[in-house]
Amino acid sequence: MHLGLNKGEARNSLARAIFFYRRGAVRDRLREDLQNKASGLNLVVAAIVLWNTVYLEQAVAALERQGTPIPAECLPHLSPLGWEHINLTGDYIWDLRQTTTLQRLRALRQGTLSVQNGLESKVG
């Protein structure tokens, strides 16, 4: 139960971070406009979670290829809900004419591994 609550809190923190860039106020009065804003917020959160999930998978695979496997018991503790690496300021514009696939991803940043308390973490 506690783990599920933390994941829910992390998702809400991400949504607040996105929402509060606009000072946390919705000035629309029409119900449809309010629903559009809420749907847009949920879409941005889902896009960030997808982006992070895909790249977490790529990072784990890259570490394994380099001879640094991640213990299976650590994988459930990875979370795609972080946003420190994403610029949340600005407007979100989707051009539906532009298409991409998950096979054409940016290269992972290369860093070094740091061992603290028996756990390895990437820095840099």
Side-chain angles (χ1 to χ4, degrees):
M1 170 99 169
H2 192 269
L3 182 63
L5 182 62
N6 287 340
K7 287 181 181 179
E9 288 174 356
R11 187 258 177 230
N12 290 337
S13 292
L14 173 57
R16 273 193 304 277
I18 296 166
F19 183 69
F20 279 107
Y21 169 68
R22 296 287 185 194
R23 313 259 190 292
V26 176
R27 302 197 193 318
D28 297 314
R29 294 182 185 204
L30 297 176
R31 180 180 175 142
E32 183 177 345
D33 292 339
L34 292 171
Q35 288 175 332
N36 287 339
K37 296 278 186 191
S39 295
L41 177 61
N42 286 331
L43 181 60
V44 172
V45 169
I48 290 172
V49 169
L50 173 63
W51 178 267
N52 288 344
T53 300
V54 168
Y55 276 93
L56 278 171
E57 180 182 26
Q58 294 289 319
V60 168
L63 287 171
E64 289 176 350
R65 282 192 304 276
Q66 295 172 4
T68 309
I70 306 297
E73 62 270 9
C74 292
L75 294 177
H77 300 286
L78 293 176
S79 173
L81 293 168
W83 69 86
E84 295 81 14
H85 59 290
I86 297 175
N87 181 7
L88 295 176
T89 60
D91 294 323
Y92 305 101
I93 300 170
W94 287 274
D95 184 352
L96 298 178
R97 294 170 295 181
Q98 290 183 342
T99 60
T100 188
T101 67
L102 295 179
Q103 283 69 39
R104 296 185 315 156
L105 300 174
R106 287 188 327 189
L108 294 172
R109 283 187 238 153
Q110 297 300 313
T112 59
L113 292 177
S114 171
V115 178
Q116 297 175 352
N117 301 326
L119 297 175
E120 293 181 357
S121 61
K122 188 173 182 180
V123 291

